[in-house]
Amino acid sequence: MPLRFLRRACLAVLLACLLTLSGCVGGHDIENCLFVLAMAIDPAPDGNLIVTVKALSGSQGGSSSAGGGSAGTGEASGGEDSSGTNGPGNGTAGSSLEQEEPGYIVLSATAPSCLRALGLLSATTPRTVNLSQLREIVINRTLAETDATLSILREIHSMFRANGDAIVVVTPDDAGDFIRQQRAILGLRLSKYLEVLFDQYEALDILPPHANLSAVISAMESSTIDATAVYAAGNDFDSTLVLPGTSDTDRLPGHLPRTAPSPNEFMGTALFDGPRMTGVLTGEETGSLRLMMGKAKRTSVIIGGAQYKVSTRTKVSRRLNPADGALEVSIRMSLSLIAGEQTQNAGEIAAQIETSAVNTLRRLQAASCDAVGFGRLAVMSSLDIPAWEARDWQSTYDQADVRVTVDVRIL
């Protein structure tokens, strides 16, 4: 009897709790949400921002009514095959809606801050902006080269349920146009396509590690490591230049001699010193960066016209030379020939990798970007915080000597 009474009492408590709940606490019904998949931020006159989002319309038919009407003032986005309503504005706040492809809509708003722009989009469409499905944040390079980058990313991250794993991308193009021309291909929906795209290119070591929103903000706020983001650009398919005697990925996006269903190219790294972008790395240099960070994923490499498989786990160590403070990296790797004809011995291959790594480290120093994380080694040798601050690590890092040793075995 006591056990039966206890069960009934527990059931009564649970039923009482259910009656006090109305759906998900603090949440939103799916039908009331505008699920954003990609977001773009461009500079606007008078210190304003143009925020463009690509979101699910909720209708495969692509009718503009699926995403809601648009009644706002300010700057129009004017996308390809777009339709929307825009009234005259004063240039400080405005919104517009564009219908470009079935299942998706593009909306934009102009405001003094990212939060106000997103709030304006929520106020002018019958949906609440929801960033839980956000996969990509694209920032115009001109804006990324200012101190505003960190505050923009913080605003996005602070929004309710914002996806901290969204990838941060910098482009020299108009960021809004960049996401407008982005299409899901190969039978994938856009959200899945972006996931596959970033995973595939990261596996090829042509995108930097730790380029997601949470990691970028953390690195920008740190005094011992600097942030990196993905570098991307559109390609108008007029680039026919083939670079002889060098890697096909030793260039920046937008200049690849290829055609593809999507004109957007993701390859290389945007380098930051604190919150400000200060330089770029090519796809090949990004591979060297990942190798020195111990984050290389490539299972095969092409060297001297031959393809090699990375046979065992590559071992990487980093240190600051206690005698002269030089930045030192040691790499040990084993390769086996899988295609082509070997024209270089192990020593020549090792020397080629060393040269690439040294050049990449010097590019990082020129940009005052400690993406490898030597600052984390330096701070451990400081007795306390005042000693660390007195060390002036940034100047020390920029002027330090660079040494890379590579040991290659051909199996």
Side-chain angles (χ1 to χ4, degrees), residues 318-320 327-329 361 370 372-378 393:
R318 299 169 295 276
R319 75 165 193 156
L320 295 175
L327 314 178
E328 296 185 344
V329 180
L361 277 177
D370 180 17
V372 178
F374 286 103
R376 292 181 172 175
L377 301 176
W393 167 247

Side-chain angles (χ1 to χ4, degrees), residues 251-272:
R251 62 181 83 196
L252 295 174
H255 302 281
L256 303 184
R258 61 76 171 160
T259 61
S262 174
N264 290 348
E265 295 173 352
F266 298 79
M267 189 175 70
T269 303
L271 305 176
F272 287 83

Side-chain angles (χ1 to χ4, degrees), residues 217-397:
I217 292 175
S218 177
M220 285 183 175
E221 295 174 337
S222 172
S223 61
T224 59
I225 195 169
D226 285 311
T228 58
V230 174
Y231 197 65
N235 190 332
D236 58 8
F237 304 147
D238 290 333
S239 303
T240 57
L241 176 64
V242 177
L243 304 179
T246 187
S247 168
D248 293 329
T249 58
D250 192 19
R251 62 181 83 196
L252 295 174
H255 302 281
L256 303 184
R258 61 76 171 160
T259 61
S262 174
N264 290 348
E265 295 173 352
F266 298 79
M267 189 175 70
T269 303
L271 305 176
F272 287 83
D273 174 17
R276 183 187 296 263
M277 179 180 169
T278 53
V280 294
L281 296 180
T282 67
E284 187 69 15
E285 291 167 338
T286 298
S288 293
L289 170 63
R290 294 184 64 98
L291 181 62
M292 291 186 288
M293 295 176 68
K295 300 295 182 180
K297 290 187 175 182
R298 230 183 308 196
T299 57
S300 64
V301 293
I302 298 177
I303 303 175
Q307 186 176 17
Y308 298 87
K309 179 182 178 181
V310 182
S311 302
T312 58
R313 184 177 178 85
T314 300
K315 297 181 180 179
V316 181
S317 62
R318 299 169 295 276
R319 75 165 193 156
L320 295 175
N321 190 294
D324 59 2
L327 314 178
E328 296 185 344
V329 180
S330 177
I331 303 170
R332 295 180 59 188
M333 59 193 310
S334 298
L335 304 175
S336 57
L337 182 68
I338 57 176
E341 182 179 351
Q342 181 177 338
T343 59
Q344 297 174 314
N345 59 35
E348 292 171 332
I349 292 175
Q352 185 174 333
I353 296 174
E354 285 178 8
T355 300
S356 178
V358 168
N359 290 339
T360 299
L361 277 177
R362 288 175 177 163
R363 289 286 296 274
L364 290 168
Q365 286 179 302
S368 296
C369 177
D370 180 17
V372 178
F374 286 103
R376 292 181 172 175
L377 301 176
V379 74
M380 290 188 293
S381 63
S382 301
L383 297 178
D384 50 30
I385 293 178
W388 164 251
E389 293 175 345
R391 187 169 185 171
D392 190 16
W393 167 247
Q394 190 64 70
S395 298
T396 302
Y397 169 77

Side-chain angles (χ1 to χ4, degrees), residues 7 27 29 42 51 54 57 73 82 127 144 159 222 233 235 277 279 284 294 298 300 343 365 378 400:
R7 287 177 178 173
D29 292 335
D42 290 290
V51 178
K54 194 163 194 174
S57 68
T73 60
S82 64
R127 298 288 188 274
M159 291 196 67
S222 172
N235 190 332
M277 179 180 169
E284 187 69 15
R298 230 183 308 196
S300 64
T343 59
Q365 286 179 302

Side-chain angles (χ1 to χ4, degrees), residues 156-199:
I156 297 172
H157 194 251
S158 68
M159 291 196 67
F160 179 65
R161 289 184 178 176
N163 181 17
D165 290 329
I167 300 298
V168 179
V169 179
V170 176
T171 179
D173 304 330
D174 182 282
D177 288 342
F178 185 88
I179 67 171
R180 285 186 187 95
Q181 66 186 10
Q182 190 162 261
R183 299 287 191 274
I185 60 175
L186 304 178
L188 298 174
R189 62 186 187 275
L190 183 59
S191 59
K192 187 62 178 179
Y193 167 71
L194 290 175
E195 289 181 4
V196 171
L197 180 149
F198 290 123
D199 287 345

Side-chain angles (χ1 to χ4, degrees), residues 30 32-41 51-58 67 103-108 114 117-119 121-122 125 127-138 156 159-164 166-167 179 182 190-192 194-195:
I30 292 178
N32 296 331
C33 292
L34 181 74
F35 289 103
V36 175
L37 303 179
M39 178 187 300
I41 303 99
V51 178
T52 307
V53 299
K54 194 163 194 174
L56 294 172
S57 68
Y104 303 96
I105 56 172
V106 176
L107 304 95
S108 65
C114 195
L118 292 174
L121 290 179
S122 293
T125 60
R127 298 288 188 274
T128 299
V129 173
N130 187 302
L131 303 185
S132 63
Q133 304 302 311
L134 184 63
R135 297 291 186 268
E136 175 187 53
I137 302 167
V138 184
I156 297 172
M159 291 196 67
F160 179 65
R161 289 184 178 176
N163 181 17
I167 300 298
I179 67 171
Q182 190 162 261
L190 183 59
S191 59
K192 187 62 178 179
L194 290 175
E195 289 181 4

